[in-house]
Each structure stands twice: as C-alpha cells, then as structure tokens.
Amino acid sequence: MTMFDGDPKKRLILLDGMALIYRAHYALIRSPRFTSGGICTSAVFGMVNTVLDLLKNWQPSHMAIAFDTAEPTHRHVEFPEYKAQRDALPEDIESQIPLVQRLMEAMRIPTLVIDGFEADDIIGTLARQADADGFRVWMVTPDKDFDQLVTDNVFVLRPGRQGSVFEVFDVDKVLAKWQIERVDQVIDILGLMGDASDNIPGVPGVGEKTAQKLISQFGSMENLLASTEKLSGKQKQQIETHREQALLSRRLATIMLDVPVELDLDKLRCQPMDEEKLKKIFVELEFDTLGQRMFGKSFSTASAKTAVIREKREREIQAQLFDEPPEETCIGHSAHDYRIVATKEQRTELVRLLMTQKSFCFDSETTGLDPRTAAPVGLAFCCQPDHAFYVPCPENREQAQAVLDEFRTVFENPAIEKIGHNLKYDMTLLKWNGFEVAGPLMDTMLAHSMKEPEMTHGLDDLAKLYLGYHPIPITQLIGPEGSAQKNMRDVPVEQVAEYACEDADVTLKISKILRPELEAQGATRVCFEVECPLVPVLIDMEFEGIRLDADSIRKYSEVLGTEIEQLKAAVFAAAGHEFNLDSPRQLGTVLFDEMHLIEKPKKTATGQYSTRESELMRLSAKHPIIRDVLEYRNAVKLKSVYVDQLPNYVNPKTGRLHTHYSQIWTATGRMQSNDPNLQTIPVRKERGREIRAAFIPRDENYLILSADYSQIELRIMAELSGDAGLMEAFDQGADIHTSTAAKIYKVDPADVTSAMRDKAKMVNFGIPYGISAFGLQQRIDITRGEANELINNYFEKYPGVREYIDRTILFARDNGYVSTITGRRRYIRDINSRNNGLRSAAERLAMNSPLQGTAADLLKLAMIKVHRVLKEGNFKTKMLLTVHDEIVFDLHKSEQSTAVPLIVDSMRTALPVRVPILVETGIGPNWFDAK
C-alpha cells in the first residue's frame, strides 16, 4: 500500500504556517524580493509557490493552514522560559504575515488559529482525527518535531533544499532517520536532547546522537531513568541530576492531540480560488510571472508603483508624452505609426529628419549577443512617442556597412543627444563597424540604476513599471533559449521592425518620465556627468584591448602544475595519507578529527568543520599543513581561473584581450569586468605577479603605464568627515598609517615600529567598515582589550570621523538612504530595524557606502577626463584597463614626458575636493613591472 492509495476524496494537507513563512523568507535571504515600493515579499512568494505545487502534485481534497497564537500556551505556564530567548519577530517577516493570510483567503484555504494552542497542536489534533476518519494526511513543515505524529496514514512533507520539491517521511523513514523501533520514541529523544530554538533544556551534554543511542538501548525515557546504574561517568551523573528536567523537556516537546477543535470537513474542503482577489494581490505584490502562469500571458501586474502612476498621473503623462488628447491615446500602445525605411531615398529623408532633432532614441537589432562579433540586422529610430522608423541592413556585410555609413553624420553629430537602453551595446556595435557615437547620451538603463539601484533595469521591467505595458518578448520572435533558437536575421522583417520600433518608442517614453524624477531625487549629476559620459570611454577601452604574452603564460601554467603537485604531496605527508584535498569535508576531518589542530573548531551551518580561507588564515600558525593548503588553493585557483583561461580570451582578429565592463554591477558604483574578469587577479603573491607580467605593450614603441590612486578611501574619509587630524596628515604628505599609529599608541612618529604601523593600517581601513573590537582582535591577533583601546584611541584622536559616522547613520535613519558627493544613492533598508544584527549591518553599510561610492565616482570622472585630454591632444597613448583604483595604459615612448603629467593631473582634479589626491605611477615592459 502506498501513501497515495485510498479514497481520493479523503486527502488532507495541513500547513505549518509560521514555520513555512520563515523557511520561504530565508530561502531568498541572499536575493530577497521587494516591490518597487520597498515591501518585502519573499515569504509570500515562497508560500504561493508551495501551495500551487501541493495542489498540482498532491491533489488534496481538503487543506488548511495553522498559525500560532499570541496567547501563552500550557508550555509557557509550565515552563516560563519556553521560547523566551527568541528575538522579536523580524520586521520583514512580521509585515508579511497579513499578506500570507490574505493570500490564503484568496486561495480559499482555511486559516486555523486557537488561542492558547500552537499550530503544532492544532495540526496534531486534526491529523489524529482525520486519521481515525479514514483520511490520508500530509503535514507540510520543516519542523522535526512532527515526526512523532507519523502513522500509516499520516505523513510529514518536508520542503526540500531546492525549489518546491518535498521529502516524504512515512513510518519507515522516520524510524530509519532516528534509528529507533517505534515512532513514539521520537518524543523521548526530543526530551533528552532538548531544542535550543524553543529553549527546551533537555539533559546537558546529551545531543541527538547520544539521545538516539540511549533510547535505542533502553527503549524509553522511563526505562532509562529507572536504569541509570547501567550508565557510568559524567553521563550517569548528568541524567540522574537532570531527571526532572528530562521529563519536563519531553512534555514540552510532545505535540498535543486533544486541542478543543473538531474536524469540520466541509470547511476544509478545497474550493476554487477567488481569482479576482488573487489577481489583486498579485498586482499589489508585483508577482508578474506567477500571474501569467496562473491567468495567462495577458495578465499584467502593472506593479504597485505603476498602479499609482496610472491612477494618479495617467492623463498628465499621456498629455505630456504623446501630445494627443488622453481619450485617444493610451499608455498601452493602442495606436502607433511604425514604418520600415527600405530604400536609399527613404533613408536620406530619415537622415534629414534626424539631423533636425535635438535628440532621438535609437536601437539596434543584431545576429548575436556580443556586439563585437554580431552582424547588424537593422536600426530603429524614434523622435516622438508612437512614431518610429526601422532601417533594415542587408545580410551582405559590405552592403550593411554602406547602410550604416549613411547615418554616420547623424551619429557623429556632437549637438544631438542620443537616447537608448543599454547604449553600450549599440554603440559598441557601431564602434566595431567603423564609427563612433558623439554628443550627449541618455541611457535609460543607467538612469534607472541611479534612481533605483536595487531594482532590475531591463527594458521590459521599466515598460511595465512606468507605462503599465508589456513589450513584445524576444522569445516570440526567435524562440526560447537553446540550440534551436533563431537570430533576428531569420525573422521576417515586418516582425523585426515592429519589435525594434517598439523598443525605441518605449525607451523614449521612459526617458521622458525618468528625467524629472532624477532631478527631483538629486541624481542628475551622477547620471549625466558620471555614468552616461563614461559609456564611450568604456567602449574605446574595450575596443583597444590589451596584449597578452600567451606563450609566457602557457609556460607559467606548467610551472604552476608542478607547484600544485608538490604542495599536494606536502599536505599528504603531513596528514599521513592521501585524501581529496578539494573536499572541505575530508580536509576538515584531517585537520580537526585526526590532527586535532585546535580544541573547538568552527563549524558551518550544515555542521561541517569550516575550512574557509579566512578561518584557515586565522589558524595558519598552528601547523605548516595549513599554510600548504592555502598555497595549494591559491595555485589551483590561479591556474584554473586565470592562467589556463586567459589565452582563450585573446581575439583571433586583433590578437588582443578585450574584457567587458559593467556599470551597474554593484550598488556602490564599482565596475565589474568579465570575459575575463581582471578585477580579482591578486598582486601580493608572487603567483599573481607572474600573471600581471604576461600583460605587455602592443609593440616595441610602447610601454605599460599604471596610474593608481593612493589610499583613496581614506582620503575621501578625510574629505567627508573634515577631521582636522586626517586632513593635516594628508596635507603634510605624511604616511597615514604611521601617523595613525603614533596617535593611537600615543608615541612619537619616529618611535612607531613596523608592527604598530601594520596594526594601525588595519584600524585605518577597518573603521570605515564599522569594524568591532572582536573583528579587529581576530584580524591582527591581539587581545580584546587592546583592540578596544586602539579603536577608542582612534576616535579620540580623530573625533571628526566619529562625528561623520554618527551624522551619516542619523541621516540614513531619517531618510532611508545615503549618497555620494555626486548624488549616487544607496538605500539602507534595515537602518531602523528592531533586530540588532540587521540594524548593525545596515549602519556599517551606511557609513561605508558614501566612501566606496565616491571613490568609484572619482575613478569614473578621472577616466572621462583622461579620455578627453588624450583624444583632444591626438595622443598615441591609449587607456586600456581599469582595476579597482588603477588605470592601465599603452604609453607611447615618445609621449612619456607629455602624456603622463596630463594623466596624473586629470586624475587628481577629476572631482574637486579639499584633501590632496595622490596618484602614483609606474612604467615598465609589462603590467607587473609598471606597479
């Protein structure tokens, strides 16, 4: 007999409400879901997916969800400390409980709450009653306590680690899991081991494995307590001493089966959902994909924010955007004029029209995702809402180039603003086809990332958010991703024209909405002076690329391979046997179970020994094997990620390596390079230096120039805080770490030792990140008292820094965000949280984001200025790369005396500040020697 046998009309699913809400919320903790209005919806999203999965795959006839009561239960009466240690319910979870309950109401799933009883007790009672009435019952919960309720007809459905897959626990599985003979023995084990999450004490020193062993041996807690003479040592003493506590803990862990609730089958019977209520919730919470999945592709959430726009500003927006009466034109594109421009004469007329515009929007369609290799399929132009033109490009590359060249004067006109979404793609396409785009730029993707840095910035997302409109999905033209997916060249020109014109049209409309909103938010400067002007700079850098000595790096791969084998042999020799060195579990067993390097090793959330790099670094002095493990990992990473991969990225046509830069990778404004990622090549170790040495000038007429900001975040801290001590140190050109060491150790600068300077350096860099005494103690291996003293002395000598931190945190609490000098905002969601951990993390984010963000803005402004002066001066020297606070150049040897001073001056003065900005330069035959 299987669990699905029996009467299909008697299949009851009972949901453990709060446990499932917690699980759903924390399942998305690394990428939580928020509405555009800032409402957290992770738990609601998880719950609706869970219920839909259950309805589809388990086909219940009856269903209900149970929640705990706010009133004390019998457990609190008997043991006041029950659950007393728990923190207050996190705000993001608390705010979602009413939403989940509304969701259950819309899905017609009854909610059960009985004062004085927990959800466990309600579910246990109903499960027992339903079992007696011939039902099959599935209790959906991640809580292990429910194992005690399993019978031949009652099962636990435990949500799996991935997706909405459930693991079924029947009697056999429960017995195997707990290593017992009877299900009722689960309660005895729970009583002995206790439960820290519920503050159930259990017996000290008795964990799960010991409890299982004892109950397996004695059969029950009563037999164990009556036979303690068979025990010995500390275990006997603990159990005899805590006899009553064990019995109490078992009572607390026992789920009640006699709650005063009767099984009312009619009320629990599954009913058709209330679609109107459900749609309303989906609209409010912006569950667009779920809405389409349940109600069809025509469903549109329009998002909560868009609903406000449509209700409060629709007529105003329509009149502003379309210059037509609101009655005749709607945001949903009911009327438009999109035209295909196919002949030479038509293209000439379009060029004339575009040349008369102050601005226009354009979009390109291509045969692939990489604009450097993709062929142009066509261009779309839009000058006014609802009117757009599509220019097809022939398949023949020479003929396509000729069509593009007809628009050269338009694109290279510096007086006309160009608007687009992800302009870097379209402009890169044009760059690799022989010409550049000049003039001011307005990129709606970048603009929206300045306005709402934590939201998604896709064009479809913005169309739904600001226009309440769903553009044509690309998959409608070329099909879903996969080997059979077409490219735009395979699609009829009429369909491509509609799609491309719509993109240009939608982008233009969004740009008109974003401009005033950016201005109102104070983000105009960072958008139009930093991010948008940076686009052509990055395009030119990527186009230049950098030369890689592929032969040298292949030889180095062989050297690394030898080192890896030697390090592996050294580790095995120290361990006394071979094992899988790449397995954290096996490594932890060797280091801590076999070699006993420390008494209490740190463990991960899954119970494994932690062998993370930071933990091994902390323990590196304990034994040479740990240093060898770290060296092995470093060598393996460098070989696999860089040394073996970099030659594959060399462009066969140019012979150079061309990375991609993303401007919206982080909320702080820091850029990310990829394909390949050059941001994380280490420089402190010899191996990383060898990799940088493989980056060389383009030919014998050039050298590599590196220009690097010195201690830029500390200088920005001085600027933002205005602290007199910091400003004085930088004004005098003093070594800031020596200066800080002298202050916090209260000695003369001449008496500062290298050890004191190293510790001061950690304090200097740690303070802006909110480092605690504990964190400082861990990083530089000092006592907690010394760490406290160093931090206190720092704030005593640099009081302006303390005032800056307090001022910044207070501003964040009042406004919900912090910003850089240029106006780049970072929203701090948990700054007013009642949860200490969340609030502390938010405070650290608030104090550091303006520093990191301003440093990122300074670098970008410097790149813009350097790019301009090199171009205006017709220099042969070219900007190639940026990594962190460094810019790398191909420096023409004849320009060393002229280009270098211009570059340094441009970088120093890119952002007017009071604190002196220092730029350090190095010149050499490769990137490493230029440092």
Side-chain angles (χ1 to χ4, degrees):
M1 186 176 183
T2 72
M3 61 183 177
F4 285 110
D5 293 335
D7 189 348
K9 296 181 180 179
K10 287 191 171 185
R11 305 179 65 175
L12 171 63
I13 284 183
L14 297 170
L15 303 167
D16 184 2
M18 281 308 303
L20 292 172
I21 286 175
Y22 263 95
R23 182 190 176 279
H25 177 80
Y26 285 108
L28 295 176
I29 196 65
R30 291 189 176 182
S31 54
R33 293 181 64 96
F34 288 91
T35 67
S36 55
I39 298 172
C40 185
T41 60
S42 298
V44 192
F45 183 79
M47 288 294 286
V48 68
N49 275 296
T50 296
V51 172
L52 290 176
D53 188 292
L54 291 167
L55 292 172
K56 177 183 178 182
N57 295 316
W58 298 83
Q59 300 176 1
S61 59
H62 298 71
M63 183 181 282
I65 184 169
F67 285 94
D68 294 335
T69 177
E71 299 296 322
T73 68
H74 75 282
R75 296 179 180 87
H76 295 92
V77 173
E78 183 172 9
F79 186 60
E81 292 83 5
Y82 178 67
K83 294 186 177 181
Q85 89 294 351
R86 288 191 176 182
D87 291 333
L89 196 63
E91 294 162 68
D92 279 345
I93 294 180
E94 186 177 24
S95 66
Q96 292 182 81
I97 294 175
L99 297 175
V100 171
Q101 292 174 336
R102 283 177 54 203
L103 175 72
M104 295 298 110
E105 181 183 0
M107 300 182 88
R108 298 265 176 86
I109 297 172
T111 296
L112 306 174
V113 178
I114 302 177
D115 283 344
F117 298 95
E118 295 185 53
D120 307 31
D121 303 318
I122 299 171
I123 291 173
T125 299
L126 289 180
R128 182 56 55 89
Q129 293 177 10
D131 186 1
D133 200 21
F135 271 72
R136 286 295 177 95
V137 184
W138 291 268
M139 304 171 295
V140 185
T141 177
D143 190 345
K144 65 183 183 299
D145 292 3
F146 280 79
D147 289 357
Q148 65 185 274
L149 301 175
V150 171
T151 70
D152 289 338
N153 293 309
V154 178
F155 313 92
V156 172
L157 274 186
R158 192 151 291 142
R161 292 184 179 274
Q162 298 180 353
S164 55
V165 177
F166 294 95
E167 187 176 5
V168 183
F169 282 80
D170 57 12
V171 171
D172 289 341
K173 198 159 186 176
V174 167
L175 298 182
K177 170 189 171 183
W178 293 96
Q179 300 176 24
I180 52 180
E181 296 181 352
R182 307 185 316 274
V183 170
D184 64 277
Q185 291 175 313
V186 170
I187 307 174
D188 292 328
I189 294 175
L190 294 173
L192 286 173
M193 61 185 276
D195 188 340
S197 65
D198 287 342
N199 208 31
I200 296 176
V203 176
V206 175
E208 181 176 329
K209 290 183 178 180
T210 302
Q212 289 174 345
K213 184 177 179 181
L214 289 170
I215 295 303
S216 177
Q217 177 183 352
F218 291 96
S220 68
M221 184 180 290
E222 284 80 6
N223 288 342
L224 168 65
L225 297 178
S227 309
T228 54
E229 73 280 358
K230 297 180 181 179
L231 303 175
S232 61
K234 190 172 182 179
Q235 185 180 82
K236 175 183 179 182
Q237 178 185 349
Q238 291 284 54
I239 291 177
E240 288 180 343
T241 302
H242 297 92
R243 173 189 300 269
E244 293 305 317
Q245 186 167 293
L247 293 170
L248 167 66
S249 297
R250 186 176 65 171
R251 291 195 298 273
L252 296 175
T254 301
I255 295 176
M256 295 180 64
L257 303 177
D258 56 355
V259 173
V261 56
E262 292 297 327
L263 184 66
D264 190 333
L265 295 176
D266 288 336
K267 290 184 178 179
L268 304 189
R269 194 180 305 278
C270 290
Q271 302 290 333
M273 298 182 189
D274 188 329
E275 291 193 358
E276 291 307 310
K277 283 186 178 180
L278 202 55
K279 286 180 180 179
K280 186 176 180 180
I281 293 173
F282 282 9
V283 167
E284 179 182 338
L285 302 184
E286 302 170 23
F287 289 171
D288 187 72
T289 303
L290 280 174
Q292 292 186 15
R293 176 173 142 201
M294 292 187 66
F295 306 115
K297 291 186 177 180
S298 61
F299 175 82
S300 172
T301 66
S303 86
K305 185 169 183 179
T306 302
V308 173
I309 293 175
R310 295 188 70 171
E311 291 173 9
K312 296 184 177 180
R313 297 200 301 159
E314 186 174 77
R315 290 181 176 272
E316 175 187 346
I317 293 173
Q318 289 171 359
Q320 182 181 6
L321 295 186
F322 305 114
D323 296 321
E324 296 180 14
E327 293 77 14
E328 298 179 14
T329 306
C330 73
I331 287 177
H333 273 57
S334 64
H336 61 250
D337 180 11
Y338 296 162
R339 300 181 185 182
I340 297 176
V341 179
T343 69
K344 172 76 170 178
E345 292 75 18
Q346 290 172 335
R347 291 194 294 269
T348 300
E349 286 300 314
L350 178 57
V351 169
R352 288 176 182 167
L353 171 66
L354 296 173
M355 289 293 284
T356 66
Q357 304 299 310
K358 292 182 179 179
S359 66
F360 64 79
C361 181
F362 80 100
D363 178 58
S364 64
E365 299 303 330
T366 67
T367 58
L369 298 177
D370 187 345
R372 301 164 184 172
T373 58
V377 174
L379 298 173
F381 298 91
C382 183
C383 304
Q384 58 178 315
D386 294 326
H387 299 274
F389 306 90
Y390 179 70
V391 180
C393 292
E395 188 169 357
N396 179 278
R397 290 302 292 259
E398 290 184 1
Q399 294 174 356
Q401 185 66 54
V403 170
L404 292 178
D405 284 343
E406 293 179 33
F407 293 86
R408 182 181 296 274
T409 56
V410 174
F411 283 117
E412 294 186 349
N413 189 323
I416 303 175
E417 180 191 52
K418 283 74 177 183
I419 302 168
H421 190 85
N422 191 13
L423 275 173
K424 186 164 169 282
Y425 180 94
D426 306 291
M427 291 169 59
T428 299
L429 174 78
L430 296 174
K431 177 75 175 181
W432 284 74
N433 279 275
F435 56 94
E436 301 180 4
V437 176
L441 302 176
M442 162 57 155
D443 188 325
T444 51
M445 182 183 74
L446 296 177
H448 187 256
S449 73
M450 297 303 98
K451 183 178 181 300
E452 303 283 358
E454 294 184 3
M455 289 180 65
T456 56
H457 314 298
L459 184 59
D460 289 358
D461 298 318
L462 301 193
K464 288 181 283 186
L465 178 64
Y466 290 106
L467 306 177
Y469 177 69
H470 285 261
I472 301 168
I474 186 67
T475 53
Q476 185 173 312
L477 277 68
I478 63 175
E481 291 186 16
S483 58
Q485 189 179 50
K486 300 182 290 186
N487 68 56
M488 296 299 269
R489 179 69 71 191
D490 305 320
V491 180
V493 67
E494 293 79 11
Q495 294 182 32
V496 179
E498 181 75 12
Y499 175 85
C501 287
E502 182 184 69
D503 275 3
D505 186 11
V506 165
T507 300
L508 183 67
K509 292 171 181 175
I510 291 170
S511 73
K512 291 180 179 290
I513 295 174
L514 282 176
R515 284 183 197 272
E517 295 197 357
L518 286 169
E519 186 173 351
Q521 187 171 295
T524 299
R525 182 182 180 190
V526 69
C527 181
F528 294 110
E529 295 182 23
V530 181
E531 295 298 344
C532 287
L534 184 66
V535 172
V537 178
L538 296 178
I539 291 170
D540 283 358
M541 280 176 51
E542 293 176 2
F543 181 80
E544 289 295 332
I546 190 168
R547 185 180 170 200
L548 184 74
D549 187 346
D551 290 338
S552 170
I553 209 162
R554 286 191 183 97
K555 291 178 183 177
Y556 184 50
S557 177
E558 297 175 3
V559 173
L560 274 179
T562 301
E563 278 191 46
I564 288 169
E565 291 305 315
Q566 292 172 344
L567 288 165
K568 187 185 292 187
V571 171
F572 293 161
H577 63 87
E578 293 188 4
F579 61 97
N580 183 357
L581 187 49
D582 298 314
S583 166
R585 182 186 294 275
Q586 292 187 34
L587 177 61
T589 299
V590 168
L591 296 181
F592 305 121
D593 284 342
E594 297 177 10
M595 300 184 70
H596 305 289
L597 295 185
I598 56 175
E599 289 186 9
K600 294 183 178 180
K602 185 178 291 186
K603 292 188 176 182
T604 67
T606 60
Q608 295 184 38
Y609 292 123
S610 173
T611 59
R612 294 176 59 182
E613 182 175 359
S614 58
E615 181 64 12
L616 294 185
M617 287 289 291
R618 190 175 69 86
L619 304 175
S620 59
K622 297 291 183 181
H623 195 284
I625 190 174
I626 297 182
R627 294 192 293 274
D628 287 337
V629 168
L630 289 170
E631 290 296 318
Y632 167 82
R633 286 182 174 180
N634 175 258
V636 168
K637 177 181 178 180
L638 291 184
K639 185 176 188 298
S640 61
V641 176
Y642 294 107
V643 177
D644 291 345
Q645 296 299 322
L646 284 176
N648 299 329
Y649 287 104
V650 174
N651 187 305
K653 291 183 179 180
T654 67
R656 296 167 73 79
L657 186 152
H658 305 266
T659 188
H660 296 252
Y661 284 100
S662 171
Q663 292 169 255
I664 59 173
W665 190 265
T666 66
T668 61
R670 289 283 186 185
M671 288 184 293
Q672 173 72 21
S673 79
N674 54 74
D675 297 329
N677 180 359
L678 301 179
Q679 302 276 2
T680 54
I681 298 176
V683 293
R684 294 179 182 175
K685 290 182 177 288
E686 186 65 33
R687 298 188 190 98
R689 298 170 184 171
E690 290 284 348
I691 295 174
R692 289 202 172 200
F695 290 84
I696 57 178
R698 64 183 63 206
D699 59 41
E700 66 279 0
N701 297 313
Y702 286 81
L703 294 167
I704 294 292
L705 164 66
S706 168
D708 197 357
Y709 282 113
S710 172
Q711 302 169 336
I712 193 60
E713 287 192 20
L714 296 181
R715 294 174 189 271
I716 291 172
M717 170 62 89
E719 175 70 20
L720 295 179
S721 68
D723 183 85
L726 281 178
M727 293 293 288
E728 180 184 17
F730 286 123
D731 283 336
Q732 294 178 354
D735 177 82
I736 187 63
H737 303 311
T738 300
S739 178
T740 297
K743 291 179 183 297
I744 63 178
Y745 283 103
K746 299 181 179 179
V747 299
D748 189 89
D751 296 327
V752 171
T753 65
S754 59
M756 294 163 69
R757 183 185 182 279
D758 288 344
K759 293 176 182 179
K761 182 177 180 179
M762 184 59 68
V763 175
N764 271 333
F765 286 119
I767 291 295
Y769 287 87
I771 195 169
S772 64
F774 174 77
L776 190 61
Q777 172 194 13
Q778 293 292 309
R779 293 191 187 187
I780 56 178
D781 196 24
I782 58 177
T783 66
R784 183 75 63 87
E786 184 181 354
N788 267 316
E789 184 179 3
L790 291 180
I791 292 175
N792 290 336
N793 288 349
Y794 179 94
F795 285 127
E796 177 187 329
K797 299 301 181 182
Y798 297 129
V801 175
R802 174 81 273 171
E803 291 171 8
Y804 161 77
I805 291 173
D806 293 342
R807 184 172 67 247
T808 303
I809 291 173
L810 181 61
F811 180 90
R813 285 176 181 159
D814 291 342
N815 298 277
Y817 69 89
V818 291
S819 61
T820 67
I821 292 175
T822 66
R824 182 189 303 276
R825 287 190 181 183
R826 180 75 181 272
Y827 290 94
I828 314 294
R829 295 191 180 277
D830 298 313
I831 192 66
N832 292 308
S833 173
R834 293 194 297 269
N835 182 290
N836 288 334
L838 291 176
R839 187 176 64 254
S840 296
E843 289 174 353
R844 291 193 294 272
L845 195 65
M847 68 176 75
N848 180 252
S849 291
L851 305 178
Q852 282 198 48
T854 297
D857 292 341
L858 171 60
L859 179 70
K860 290 177 177 179
L861 287 167
M863 293 169 65
I864 294 167
K865 191 169 184 179
V866 169
H867 182 261
R868 184 175 66 248
V869 299
L870 291 179
K871 200 168 187 178
E872 291 174 351
N874 292 316
F875 283 91
K876 296 176 183 177
T877 296
K878 303 296 182 182
M879 187 158 47
L880 308 181
L881 299 174
T882 177
V883 179
H884 303 304
D885 302 319
E886 175 187 9
I887 307 176
V888 181
F889 302 82
D890 257 342
L891 173 67
H892 197 273
K893 292 178 178 178
S894 68
E895 297 172 350
Q896 186 167 342
S897 62
T898 53
V900 176
L902 276 175
I903 290 169
V904 170
D905 184 66
S906 297
M907 292 178 68
R908 284 195 310 101
T909 59
L911 181 66
V913 290
R914 296 166 296 170
V915 66
I917 301 296
L918 177 63
V919 177
E920 298 175 334
T921 61
I923 299 171
N926 57 62
W927 188 7
F928 171 69
D929 287 333
K931 288 294 289 180

